Amino acid sequence: MTRFILRRLAQVIPMLLVLTFVVFFLIQLAPYDVVDSITTPNMSDETVAIMRERYGLDQPVIVQYLSWLGNVLQGDLGYSLTSRQPITAELAARVPNTIILVAPAYLAALVIAIVLGLVAGSRRGKLADRVIDSLAGVGIATPSFWFALLLIYLFGYVLRWFPIIGMHSVGKEGDPVDFLLHFILPFTVLVVAFFPELARYVRSATITQTSQDYVLVQRAYGASRSRILGFHVSRNVLLPIITQLGLALPLLVTGAIVTESVFAWPGIGPYFLSATKSLDYPVILAVLMLSAVLVIVGNLIADILYVVVDPRIRIGGAS
């Protein structure tokens, strides 16, 4: 296991280099850059040229990339080309806000998906299965931004139950009740966005497990449906769910970009979208690099949890 972890960690560096270079190169292929987004028609060509030189955009692509990479290796993610603020400080302020929103929503969606997925998979083809599968289908087909706008209209404008913008009201930054009122609508949108695919994943795994011989043996001994699901099937369904948990780690950073933008939640979403529109490549690269690291770490955590949940994997690997 130690050699496996070290080998996987050794793969991180070349993967990140390839990813960041590809993204950097694609940004350079865009028909305009950050200077074009901040210049005005009254600016002279000399002024524009000075701005490009100040941002380093007059250098070849490979020189710009190596300069950025050298700063990153020193722990400096650089400055935003539009706001001129340090990216590290911006991410440190915004990432916790995104995690506060996304992590509870994903865990709630996972619990709901496990319960309903087990019910649907154990009653394949029956009314409960059709209802749950239909709900999942509707959830998958529903755009998150449309559902967010619907909730904003109903509960924000018509009923006026919840605020619809930001994380806190002005002057109530430390009020937990005010935070909860701001939290409910985006939390609901994310639960509905995460739940359908997870539920279908659990349903598929449950159907596979209920067709195994050990389930038939338990039924032959007179075990109830709830006991079979709770003590046997659910344990074996846990392994594929762990895969989802590992793959879900990047969602803590980039899993709510649309929802955060709709509700003006001060997380990574609005920050990343603003950088994308202005081709602020240091911000784009920093967010993508953070997401890529979480993908790799998530997969590694999932592999380790496999061994914790099912010791037979460790025995098989040792043999």
Side-chain angles (χ1 to χ4, degrees):
M1 177 58 69
T2 302
R3 290 195 301 269
F4 171 76
I5 294 175
L6 294 176
R7 186 169 62 250
R8 291 291 297 271
L9 291 176
Q11 298 173 355
V12 171
I13 296 177
M15 291 175 63
L16 289 178
L17 288 175
V18 172
L19 174 65
T20 55
F21 179 77
V22 170
V23 173
F24 197 97
F25 181 74
L26 291 177
I27 292 175
Q28 300 299 322
L29 294 179
Y32 71 99
D33 54 31
V34 64
V35 172
D36 295 322
S37 66
I38 60 178
T39 54
T40 62
N42 297 328
M43 289 185 178
S44 63
D45 294 339
E46 292 77 9
T47 302
V48 174
I50 292 173
M51 294 179 64
R52 291 188 180 278
E53 182 179 358
R54 184 178 67 178
Y55 288 125
L57 299 178
D58 60 331
Q59 300 294 326
V61 176
I62 188 64
V63 175
Q64 296 182 43
Y65 174 75
L66 292 177
S67 176
W68 173 84
L69 184 61
N71 292 331
V72 170
L73 294 178
Q74 298 176 15
D76 181 13
L77 294 177
Y79 289 80
S80 168
L81 297 181
T82 55
S83 67
R84 302 306 299 168
Q85 297 297 318
I87 297 174
T88 302
E90 292 280 354
L91 292 179
R94 293 174 177 273
V95 168
N97 295 337
T98 298
I99 294 176
I100 289 173
L101 176 63
V102 175
Y106 189 85
L107 292 177
L110 182 62
V111 171
I112 296 172
I114 290 174
V115 174
L116 296 185
L118 287 172
V119 172
S122 63
R123 291 171 171 80
R124 182 180 183 183
K126 297 183 179 179
L127 178 61
D129 179 34
R130 292 197 296 270
V131 171
I132 294 173
D133 191 55
S134 298
L135 288 175
V138 171
I140 293 174
T142 302
S144 58
F145 73 89
W146 179 86
F147 185 61
L149 293 176
L150 179 63
L151 293 185
I152 288 174
Y153 176 74
L154 291 177
F155 298 103
Y157 286 102
V158 177
L159 299 176
R160 297 186 180 276
W161 287 358
F162 304 106
I164 58 176
I165 295 178
M167 189 174 175
H168 296 284
S169 299
V170 178
K172 296 184 178 180
E173 284 74 11
D175 188 347
V177 176
D178 180 72
F179 167 77
L180 183 62
L181 292 175
H182 284 81
F183 176 80
I184 289 176
L185 290 185
F187 170 82
T188 303
V189 172
L190 288 179
V191 170
V192 173
F194 294 149
F195 150 73
E197 292 186 1
L198 290 172
R200 284 193 167 179
Y201 194 85
V202 175
R203 174 183 177 271
S204 177
T206 302
I207 291 175
T208 301
Q209 291 299 320
T210 53
S211 63
Q212 300 298 315
D213 293 338
Y214 73 89
V215 175
L216 298 177
V217 172
Q218 292 295 323
R219 289 176 178 173
Y221 278 104
S224 64
R225 183 191 300 270
S226 60
R227 181 176 180 81
I228 294 174
L229 287 178
F231 289 92
H232 302 283
V233 174
S234 60
R235 294 182 180 180
N236 293 314
V237 171
L238 185 61
L239 276 177
I241 291 177
I242 288 177
T243 303
Q244 293 298 313
L245 288 175
L247 297 177
L249 194 59
L251 294 178
L252 295 179
V253 174
T254 59
I257 290 179
V258 174
T259 302
E260 286 181 332
S261 300
V262 172
F263 288 97
W265 189 271
I268 293 296
Y271 186 56
F272 183 69
L273 283 183
S274 176
T276 303
K277 288 188 293 184
S278 59
L279 286 182
D280 193 348
Y281 69 83
V283 175
I284 297 173
L285 287 171
V287 174
L288 289 179
M289 185 176 66
L290 179 59
S291 179
V293 170
L294 290 178
V295 169
I296 297 169
V297 173
N299 287 329
L300 181 60
I301 292 175
D303 292 336
I304 295 174
L305 289 178
Y306 279 147
V307 177
V308 175
V309 174
D310 191 349
R312 293 174 299 178
I313 298 177
R314 183 190 300 118
I315 296 173
S319 62

